[in-house]
Amino acid sequence: SVVSGIDCSVASDQKRDCGFIGIDEPGCEARGCCWKPAGEGSSVPWCYFPKGGPPPTPQPNTTCTDNPRRDCGHSGTDEPTCKASGCCWNPSPPPGTSGNYPWCFWPHGAGPSPT
């Protein structure tokens, strides 16, 4: 199938994961990736990189504001993986924050809708 001009016709064994646990279809497509449910318990990623395309690059002029930070990665995400997903990386705590906070987070106005 074709989503927003990208070719999503990728064989199941060639699909490279573009999402993270809990990503939804709008969040996946906002990353410039393809979405196709593979069935419960399947090891095939539902959110995957398009055919022949490199991982999506960050949009120019993205605004990486600290407040609020909405998690874009998953446990173990490193800086290159985060940025290759079009997200922001900052391991320093946001001003006035205590406790846990994401290091990899969506640019302001991007990412899946909060639930």
Side-chain angles (χ1 to χ4, degrees):
S1 64
V2 175
V3 176
S4 302
I6 58 175
D7 186 355
C8 294
S9 60
V10 179
S12 291
D13 64 342
Q14 298 294 311
K15 291 180 180 176
R16 293 181 299 133
D17 199 351
C18 182
F20 52 87
I21 294 173
I23 194 168
D24 59 7
E25 185 172 2
C28 176
E29 291 176 353
R31 291 171 163 238
C33 295
C34 302
W35 177 270
K36 183 177 181 184
E40 287 299 320
S42 173
S43 63
V44 176
W46 290 26
C47 181
Y48 56 95
F49 291 110
K51 184 175 186 175
T57 55
Q59 297 295 321
N61 302 320
T62 55
T63 304
C64 293
T65 60
D66 275 331
N67 193 8
R69 283 191 188 178
R70 294 189 319 150
D71 202 347
C72 183
H74 54 81
S75 180
T77 297
D78 60 9
E79 184 174 3
T81 302
C82 176
K83 288 183 175 180
S85 296
C87 296
C88 303
W89 178 268
N90 185 351
S92 301
T97 301
S98 61
N100 293 332
Y101 55 89
W103 290 13
C104 181
F105 54 98
W106 290 101
H108 181 69
S113 300
T115 54

